[in-house]
Amino acid sequence: QVQLVESGGGLVQAGGSLRLSCAASGRSFSAYVIGWFRQAPGKEREFVAAITGRRTNTYYEDSVKGRFTISRDNTKDIVFLQMNSLQPEDTAVYYCAMRSSGFVEVNWNRYDYWGQGTQVTVSS
């Protein structure tokens, strides 16, 4: 079993930056795909970014590509989401999730473990 905990959310003005962290405990997730998802009020959970385990290949939703960077430190079981040039439409609860597979999946229901979420609010 693995437990995931997100941190780093907060309130930021448009154009600002935040770095989210996803930490694992109970079992290492270094060999597994980790995805970041977000959910705004009244909207479906959507894919943001993902990173594979050993090769650290990265994937991004089009609207965040060039602004967000996903990375991982497998020696510490931490995955980061660096978010730059934040815009109000980025406001959401951000979740990290682990998929028990080496294949990236953009559908949230294909992930097996989830953190509790961290709120990101971007003001104009």
Side-chain angles (χ1 to χ4, degrees):
Q1 299 294 320
V2 61
Q3 296 80 45
L4 306 177
V5 179
E6 304 96 333
S7 62
L11 175 64
V12 65
Q13 292 184 331
S17 298
L18 288 171
R19 187 178 72 166
L20 307 183
S21 298
C22 175
S25 63
R27 191 180 72 187
S28 173
F29 64 22
S30 61
Y32 298 96
V33 170
I34 298 295
W36 284 97
F37 293 80
R38 65 187 180 187
Q39 188 165 19
K43 294 188 177 182
E44 292 293 315
R45 197 178 311 171
E46 68 173 350
F47 173 79
V48 177
I51 186 166
T52 62
R54 296 179 179 88
R55 307 305 296 176
T56 63
N57 295 315
T58 59
Y59 303 84
Y60 299 93
E61 191 268 324
D62 286 344
S63 70
V64 308
K65 193 171 186 178
R67 299 189 297 123
F68 292 10
T69 302
I70 188 170
S71 62
R72 67 194 305 163
D73 182 348
N74 282 339
T75 67
K76 298 180 179 180
D77 273 342
I78 300 175
V79 171
F80 302 101
L81 184 68
Q82 178 67 46
M83 306 186 296
N84 298 327
S85 301
L86 284 162
Q87 301 299 313
E89 54 264 35
D90 296 315
T91 295
V93 176
Y94 284 70
Y95 301 89
C96 70
M98 190 191 86
R99 174 162 164 77
S100 299
S101 171
F103 296 99
V104 167
E105 174 61 60
V106 301
N107 295 322
W108 66 267
N109 58 10
R110 297 295 188 178
Y111 286 74
D112 303 298
Y113 300 95
W114 293 83
Q116 83 288 351
T118 186
Q119 177 71 48
V120 172
T121 303
V122 185
S123 63
S124 300

